[in-house]
Amino acid sequence: MTHPSPSISPVSDAAKLLLLRDIAEIMRAPGNVRDALETVLERIRQTLPVLRGSVTLISPATGEIRIEASCGLKESERLRGRYARGEGVTGRVIQTGQAMCVTDVSEEPLFLNRTGSRDLQNEAISFLCVPIRLAGQSVGALSVDRLQADSPTLQEEMDLLHIVTALLGHAAFEGQRFMDDAGVKASTLADMFHTSSPVMRHVLEQMKHVAHAGTTVFLQGESGSGKEVAARAIHAASPRADGPFISFNCAALPENLVESEMFGHERGAFTGANALRKGRFELADGGTLFLDEVGELSLPVQAKLLRVLQERSFERLGGTQTLHVDVRIIAATNRDLEAMVEEGTFRRDLFYRLNVFPIRLPALRERKDDILPLASRFAQRFARANGREEARLSLAVMDMLQRYDWPGNVRELENVMERAVLLMEREDIILPQHLPLSLHSEYRAAQAESPEHCCVLPAHPATLPQRVAELERSCIVEALAASGGHMGKAAQALGLTERIMGLRMRKYNLRYQTFRSKTVGLLTGKSKA
């Protein structure tokens, strides 16, 4: 049940003119395109009753639509803002070039809430989305969430946003040119995965071999192990890199909608089909289609998918015209399809069609060498997103991360780091109390079994002396690691004499020989490997 929005005074013409003047000046000024777009969004939020805003752009390399600038969104929410053409309100606006005004998002079936930033049950939100056009082509969209209002008020603001998008056209085009297309410009697959794990290196070799072929790839692995990242990497390293990469989660929609999403539908094909809609196979023509959670498809949809894989042709729902597509298929699942075949819940012939080149992605607990570098990378990214210069891992946190089993794999690690950075205080260092209870319980068990191999983890909440000692020990460890165990260089970096450095090392039971190993570089996230 949505709550009624408070009374809001209408925006004056003078305020609107001042907004447009400021936007024109922002767009004329030299500088980073994304920064300029985010400044524009903040300026809009100062003038209109806007809760959140975003600029989505079409990737010129993949055809994917994604949020490139935002206000009111966390970094993790912004990264979730990805769409195919025609998908959701944003994808529909960009595909048709027609603006949309959704008075109540909780009642609009097209509204996906892909970022997960809205509480649709308790927030009374209207959504305005206007295409950004240049030379007659849609290159992106400007969208805002605002408190619910009457139709005349929303139309006034839509008119204003149309003028704003006219000012953003050239900047959006420049933004397209420099979009970070999920590692498309990366020189190697290893760079995209940031891995030094031997087991993961073997996986990357498999990916490298299959990337340049048109072979169907079957990715297997636990939830959160990086199957979509692997699919994007294979696409980016393939001759199809300039074509679209279209992703479809087979478990995300009810069965009656899956077929329409995959193959599209004609106008009038069913109740509510008011216009022709292209399916994912059609959108992926010339590129790659990633079918995630393929084990969740029903047997009737499996039969239709098998026909497309065999003939590379299909008809839209309600249509008679046979369409032919050139699409590479990458399928993924966290289920045991061979067992499902024996049970009769997955077609044997479809399994053989998909299982041409199987690749198993290891769980994070099988690639422990990657845990700390990944954690450091996530922490730095979330720190920058929250206006901090850096976020370092304390020694106890490093030990806790390596001892945890990570049932949610890389996705869980990313979420843990985001939470830790938000709880992190002035020291810019992540401490044990910033980690969730699930990590503490497993670490306590490890302490009980082998206390000599665990860092001292104080009771929670930690006292000030305990936290100061933890910070001091972490700084000494980082300095020793950076210097390769050279006490003199480490002491100089910390502003200490070698005598004081030696006393501190004895206090914390640290030996310089320990830091002559290459593995210490990984503990600090500064390894050159």
Side-chain angles (χ1 to χ4, degrees):
M1 188 73 178
T2 56
H3 300 305
S5 58
S7 176
I8 299 172
S9 302
V11 179
S12 67
D13 289 342
K16 293 176 184 176
L17 288 172
L18 182 60
L19 170 65
L20 294 174
R21 187 199 70 181
D22 289 349
I23 290 175
E25 290 180 357
I26 292 166
M27 302 319 297
R28 279 199 301 266
N32 181 274
V33 173
R34 177 181 287 177
D35 291 345
L37 292 173
E38 290 186 341
T39 303
V40 166
L41 291 169
E42 287 292 350
R43 186 65 185 83
I44 292 172
R45 187 157 65 162
Q46 292 167 11
T47 304
L48 303 179
V50 169
L51 304 172
R52 289 165 284 270
S54 64
V55 172
T56 50
L57 300 178
I58 304 172
S59 164
T62 67
E64 184 184 52
I65 299 166
R66 73 182 190 213
I67 296 176
E68 280 301 302
S70 64
C71 69
L73 294 179
K74 296 189 292 186
E75 177 70 3
S76 58
E77 293 170 341
R78 183 185 73 80
L79 293 173
R80 287 196 290 266
R82 295 171 179 265
Y83 312 85
R85 289 177 188 265
E87 183 181 37
V89 175
T90 302
R92 183 68 60 86
V93 166
I94 291 176
Q95 183 183 51
T96 63
Q98 300 296 316
M100 286 186 67
C101 174
V102 180
T103 306
D104 184 354
V105 296
S106 65
E107 297 181 358
E108 173 54 62
L110 264 181
F111 189 79
L112 302 178
N113 193 24
R114 180 62 56 77
T115 63
S117 57
R118 297 98 170 172
D119 182 353
L120 300 185
Q121 299 302 315
N122 297 308
E123 286 187 304
I125 298 173
S126 296
F127 183 74
L128 312 180
C129 188
V130 179
I132 301 173
R133 298 175 64 83
L134 189 66
Q137 298 292 321
S138 294
V139 295
L142 167 65
S143 58
V144 298
D145 292 1
R146 58 103 68 218
L147 298 174
Q148 278 184 15
D150 55 31
S151 295
T153 301
L154 294 176
Q155 187 56 55
E156 265 190 39
E157 293 179 3
M158 287 284 282
D159 293 341
L160 179 62
L161 293 180
H162 272 291
I163 301 173
V164 171
T165 57
L167 298 173
L168 300 184
H170 285 283
F173 176 71
E174 288 299 309
Q176 275 191 313
R177 291 176 56 204
F178 297 102
M179 283 175 77
D180 173 18
D181 286 313
V184 167
K185 301 297 183 183
S187 57
T188 67
L189 290 169
D191 291 337
M192 297 172 71
F193 277 82
H194 302 271
T195 183
S196 59
S197 165
V199 64
M200 198 62 197
R201 292 278 179 177
H202 174 67
V203 170
L204 295 183
E205 282 299 314
Q206 291 180 293
M207 291 166 60
K208 180 179 177 182
H209 283 304
V210 78
H212 292 283
T215 307
T216 297
V217 179
F218 183 41
L219 301 173
Q220 298 165 290
E222 295 179 7
S223 180
S225 57
K227 294 187 289 294
E228 182 165 356
V229 176
R232 289 182 180 276
I234 292 170
H235 171 77
S238 76
R240 295 173 177 264
D242 292 334
F245 176 91
I246 302 297
S247 176
F248 179 58
N249 188 326
C250 301
L253 293 172
E255 181 182 342
N256 62 330
L257 294 179
V258 169
E259 190 175 349
S260 172
E261 283 293 323
M262 290 181 75
F263 309 121
H265 61 251
E266 299 286 347
R267 180 177 180 180
F270 50 83
T271 302
N274 300 320
L276 180 149
R277 182 174 185 180
K278 294 181 178 181
R280 303 302 174 94
F281 271 94
E282 203 168 344
L283 293 171
D285 191 21
T288 302
L289 176 60
F290 174 56
L291 297 175
D292 198 8
E293 304 299 349
V294 72
E296 305 301 324
L297 292 174
S298 67
L299 287 169
V301 177
Q302 289 178 33
K304 293 178 181 179
L305 175 59
L306 176 64
R307 183 212 162 187
V308 179
L309 296 182
Q310 289 173 332
E311 302 175 13
R312 289 298 193 267
S313 63
F314 60 93
E315 293 82 37
R316 301 191 193 104
L317 265 69
T320 57
Q321 180 186 3
T322 299
L323 304 173
H324 299 272
V325 290
D326 173 23
V327 174
R328 186 205 193 143
I329 301 296
I330 300 178
T333 186
N334 59 8
R335 302 184 64 180
D336 184 349
L337 289 196
E338 291 186 78
M340 291 178 67
V341 168
E342 295 304 319
E343 294 166 2
T345 55
F346 200 86
R347 292 181 63 107
R348 187 179 298 274
D349 45 6
L350 178 58
F351 173 71
Y352 291 142
R353 280 282 175 182
L354 295 175
N355 197 39
V356 179
F357 195 98
I359 297 177
R360 180 186 170 274
L361 292 173
L364 187 56
R365 60 184 171 275
E366 299 174 52
R367 40 185 291 213
K368 285 188 175 292
D369 288 348
D370 288 341
I371 292 175
L372 293 178
L374 282 171
S376 179
R377 179 166 162 254
F378 290 145
Q380 290 293 346
R381 191 179 78 196
F382 289 124
R384 289 193 295 269
N386 286 278
R388 292 176 175 271
E389 289 187 5
E390 65 175 339
R392 293 177 291 118
L393 308 178
S394 67
L395 184 62
V397 165
M398 293 178 189
D399 208 5
M400 290 172 71
L401 295 179
Q402 285 195 305
R403 291 176 183 277
Y404 184 57
D405 203 36
W406 298 109
N409 294 296
V410 179
R411 186 183 296 124
E412 183 184 9
L413 175 60
E414 183 176 16
N415 292 339
V416 166
M417 287 297 100
E418 181 178 14
R419 175 187 186 273
V421 169
L422 291 174
L423 295 175
M424 190 173 66
E425 298 172 14
R426 294 182 180 179
E427 303 98 325
D428 286 340
I429 185 168
I430 296 174
L431 300 169
Q433 54 264 39
H434 300 148
L435 301 183
L437 291 176
S438 55
L439 273 78
H440 288 273
S441 58
E442 190 159 327
Y443 189 77
R444 297 280 180 201
Q447 276 188 311
E449 290 179 10
S450 53
E452 70 279 4
H453 293 122
C454 290
C455 301
V456 177
L457 185 60
H460 300 281
T463 64
L464 180 60
Q466 286 173 324
R467 294 185 63 187
V468 169
E470 171 64 30
L471 176 61
E472 183 177 53
R473 179 173 183 166
S474 294
C475 291
I476 292 171
V477 166
E478 289 192 1
L480 286 168
S483 66
H486 193 293
M487 282 183 58
K489 290 180 180 178
Q492 186 178 14
L494 295 172
L496 303 175
T497 64
E498 288 194 44
R499 177 178 171 277
I500 296 297
M501 184 71 174
L503 291 173
R504 294 292 188 274
M505 289 175 64
R506 280 195 290 275
K507 175 182 176 181
Y508 296 117
N509 194 28
L510 298 173
R511 300 171 64 251
Y512 72 87
Q513 291 93 338
T514 305
F515 299 88
R516 297 286 168 91
S517 165
K518 291 182 180 180
T519 57
V520 176
L522 291 176
L523 291 177
T524 61
K526 295 178 180 178
S527 170
K528 295 181 180 180

